[in-house]
Amino acid sequence: MEGHYESPQRVKIVYSYLKEKGFAFIKPKIANENDLLLVHEKELIDKVKANTFFDPDTPNLDNIFRYALLACGSAIDAMRLCKKEFTFSLMRPPGHHASKTNVGGFCYFNNIAVSVAKAIKDGNANKVAILDIDAHHGNGTQDIFLGSKEVLYVSIHQAFIYPGTGMESIGNCINYPLPAGTKDKAYIATLSKALDKIKKFEPDMLALSLGFDTFMEDPLTGFMLTSDAYRKIGKIIASLSINTFAVLEGGYSKKMDICVYNFLEGMEGG
Ligand SMILES: [Zn+2]
């Protein structure tokens, strides 16, 4: 959609950059409706399929059902392959604002939630921790997994912006709202606390809702992370030594390619 922040361009620039740097890519397999039913009500699936949903931020694009299924399928592939090495689904639309029953915030189906639910159902993992480091709270993911014994949801996000949730922790959903203007040092200190909670949970898989709208030049949010911060963030997460995969959420700046590259370098050891 012309003028919408969540555009194909944001993924294209990252893809070209990573390709140039020698990263390997695989084409995603499309998800099926049974995968979606693990976390979404049938009514929502039917509404996206018929393109009859309404949300002011989440446009009724042509063929959106197919694109949303591809993004979900890619997240599932990343989950399945993460036992061998760290994997990253560089796909859009994002997912973490999609709840059991609603689209929202540029999200149609919850890619990370579908892949995590599938990991547990298919025996790829017994306990999964989701770490959501997008600048926005993943209200959809929290809605889906609240009360689950197999899933821990941990989110670091900017307080008082969309969607307005995540101001406190509740049960298995641990939230770290931080003020606008948060810089590298304070962010990474909070990340360390978040990772301590994850270690205590002893998951056998870690799923990252990976947003790059925490970057200082992002047009939508007020965090002030430098591009170097992503290398450190990747390194700290990799030091947990848990089978890890990541799914792209937000990130709307022109330098998203460098931020993603730095993160992947960090995950690979520095
Ligand atoms: Zn976001």
Side-chain angles (χ1 to χ4, degrees), residues 11 28 49 54 116 125 136 150 165 189 192 207 266:
V11 165
K49 197 187 218 173
F54 175 75
V116 166
H136 300 93
E150 293 103 350
T165 50
S192 299

Side-chain angles (χ1 to χ4, degrees), residues 117-128:
K118 199 161 168 67
I120 291 165
K121 180 182 157 267
D122 291 353
N124 296 81
N126 297 311
K127 277 165 83 183
V128 184

Side-chain angles (χ1 to χ4, degrees), residues 38 76 79-83 114-128 150 204-205 243:
L38 294 171
I76 292 169
M79 176 278 288
R80 282 195 182 126
L81 294 169
C82 81
K83 270 201 177 155
V114 170
S115 56
V116 166
K118 199 161 168 67
I120 291 165
K121 180 182 157 267
D122 291 353
N124 296 81
N126 297 311
K127 277 165 83 183
V128 184
E150 293 103 350
D204 45 8
M205 189 179 275
N243 292 329

Side-chain angles (χ1 to χ4, degrees), residues 4 35 79 122 150 166 173 175 181 192 200-201 232 270:
H4 198 287
D35 300 330
M79 176 278 288
D122 291 353
E150 293 103 350
C173 297
N175 290 309
S192 299
K200 243 175 132 183
F201 181 65
K232 290 182 196 136

